[in-house]
Amino acid sequence: MSFSNLGLSEKVLAAVAATGYTNPTPIQEQAIPHVLARKDVLGIAQTGTGKTAAFVLPMLTILEKGRARARMPRTLILEPTRELAAQVKENFDRYGAGQKLNVALLIGGVSFGDQDAKLMRGVDVLIATPGRLLDHTERGGLLLTGVELLVIDEADRMLDMGFIPDIERICKLVPFTRQTLFFTATMPPEIRRITEAFLHNPQKVEVSKPATTAVTVTQSQVPAGREAHEKRELLRRLLREAKDLKNAIIFCNRKREVAIVHKSLQKHGFSVGALHGDMDQPARMAALDQFRKGELPLLVASDVAARGLDIPEVSHVFNFDVPPSRR
Ligand code: AMP
């Protein structure tokens, strides 16, 4: 799938090409056509999936037609923090460079007067944190009755920060007939309730977590023979030859495999512990404790048993099996 099949305007496609992106990310591919068809969208996606461009690009296409009126923004984007609001503004500056759009930020810590002057000139895109936005509407300098499209971004973070009552108030100030795009990484009950109240027949778009690896981690893939014993032999060689190996976790996909690899490494003289879902809590704690203290520098573990463990200073990780993909 390429960007040109999504229905975006020529200007927007040129801006995307100038950025160097070749293909849309899954959230972009799925959400952009719905946004352009003026449908409500419920996007379950987190930062890092390309979700900002998933609403910025079609918004730029939609905004090519029409003009802004004083004090009546045409579109409104709500963000939980100043930093996120500023990032969204940067996206509009980047992709909307060829368009004469007025984009305004309403965030705390910026002079009220400057913001008010900008609103007076007419705004195509208003990016705001909820509190500052309500300050402006209460002072009468801002009317939300012209908003054609509302974006509520990072809704679950808004919930954590106590902004849901503000969001509910804002939703009552924008026209009932607007288009709403709603993004959240998770769906706790309170967020589900809001989506039911404020979205009309939404198109649900869900993407899995991006695979992220810290930049400080060097990864490599080593081809192995098909036979299990060949893989174990290769593992031993990698363990012996690894540079600066202080300790290592070796992940296997199945408990049975954990037991086999553990026994095999022991037989070949390695100091190694094991961790899998069938072990009782004291045995798991003991294995982890020995690994943390460096008494057993190697730990063979099943993915499920070790998921989410926070063990500082692990120098090496070996995936004995290809890890299963997960959401
Ligand atoms: P976001 O999830 O919106 O915070 O975006 C995460 C990062 O992905 C940002 O640095 C974007 O510039 C980048 N990005 C967005 N769309 C694409 C794309 N189609 N191809 C490559 N990178 C992208």
Side-chain angles (χ1 to χ4, degrees):
M1 172 65 90
S2 89
F3 273 106
S4 54
N5 302 330
L6 299 177
L8 294 165
S9 69
E10 291 301 324
K11 270 188 196 164
V12 172
L13 287 175
V16 169
T19 317
Y21 299 158
T22 45
N23 295 307
T25 65
I27 186 86
Q28 292 163 2
E29 190 179 318
Q30 293 176 59
I32 290 174
H34 291 314
V35 181
L36 291 172
R38 307 310 306 260
K39 299 257 172 56
D40 280 7
V41 172
L42 168 57
I44 304 176
Q46 43 187 245
T47 306
T49 53
K51 77 173 159 62
T52 315
F55 59 85
V56 171
L57 300 178
M59 281 177 75
L60 283 168
T61 297
I62 291 168
L63 288 165
E64 279 177 19
K65 294 198 189 83
R67 282 197 66 211
R69 286 191 286 163
R71 303 209 177 280
M72 291 179 73
R74 297 169 68 195
T75 63
L76 171 63
I77 301 171
L78 297 174
E79 293 289 336
T81 65
R82 286 195 255 171
E83 291 71 23
L84 279 167
Q87 264 179 46
V88 172
K89 167 90 166 46
E90 279 166 25
N91 269 258
F92 275 98
D93 293 343
R94 188 186 319 152
Y95 306 119
Q99 261 169 275
K100 284 201 194 81
L101 287 180
N102 288 334
V103 181
L105 263 183
L106 284 195
I107 53 180
V110 177
S111 128
F112 217 87
D114 288 354
Q115 291 179 342
D116 199 56
K118 201 145 192 200
L119 290 174
M120 189 57 210
R121 288 197 293 272
V123 167
D124 297 286
V125 183
L126 183 61
I127 308 163
T129 48
R132 188 44 86 97
L133 181 84
L134 285 169
D135 284 349
H136 278 272
T137 56
E138 275 154 21
R139 291 187 191 200
L142 174 62
L143 275 171
L144 297 180
T145 46
V147 171
E148 300 156 30
L149 187 151
L150 168 70
V151 180
I152 301 172
D153 195 18
E154 304 264 338
D156 49 356
R157 269 178 85 179
M158 303 253 201
L159 174 68
D160 291 344
M161 296 171 80
F163 288 160
I164 295 301
D166 285 353
I167 300 292
E168 296 193 89
R169 281 177 61 200
I170 294 165
C171 282
K172 287 181 184 139
L173 298 173
V174 296
F176 181 74
T177 51
R178 85 223 164 223
Q179 180 182 11
T180 308
L181 314 178
F182 190 101
F183 292 90
T184 184
T186 57
M187 277 295 255
E190 183 67 357
I191 294 294
R192 189 174 303 278
R193 183 183 70 76
I194 299 278
T195 61
E196 281 160 11
F198 295 113
L199 293 174
H200 303 298
N201 216 355
Q203 304 294 315
K204 192 170 164 191
V205 170
E206 191 167 358
V207 299
S208 49
K209 252 169 115 172
T212 48
T213 305
V215 286
T216 49
V217 174
T218 310
Q219 301 191 83
S220 50
Q221 192 177 10
V222 189
R226 275 177 184 278
E227 301 292 329
H229 73 89
E230 291 176 305
K231 264 168 84 180
R232 291 196 295 273
E233 203 174 295
L234 177 64
L235 175 66
R236 291 196 294 277
R237 183 161 66 75
L238 292 173
L239 284 169
R240 289 195 182 104
E241 291 175 1
K243 236 179 101 208
D244 301 325
L245 186 140
K246 283 198 226 71
N247 57 3
I249 303 180
I250 298 137
F251 283 111
C252 301
N253 285 351
R254 280 183 289 273
K255 284 176 290 198
R256 225 174 73 82
E257 197 84 60
V258 171
I260 296 169
V261 173
H262 177 227
K263 224 167 131 190
S264 152
L265 287 172
Q266 269 183 332
K267 205 178 83 192
H268 284 88
F270 290 90
S271 257
V272 58
L275 190 72
H276 59 73
D278 277 357
M279 288 161 69
D280 60 17
Q281 197 60 20
R284 288 170 52 119
M285 297 303 286
L288 269 177
D289 210 41
Q290 283 179 306
F291 182 71
R292 280 208 178 92
K293 288 185 185 146
E295 292 165 12
L296 288 177
L298 304 181
L299 185 67
V300 185
S302 66
D303 180 48
V304 176
R307 189 178 298 174
L309 286 180
D310 184 16
I311 305 174
E313 305 199 13
V314 176
S315 76
H316 286 69
V317 169
F318 294 85
N319 282 307
F320 189 77
D321 297 309
V322 175
S325 61
R326 58 177 106 100
R327 301 187 75 87

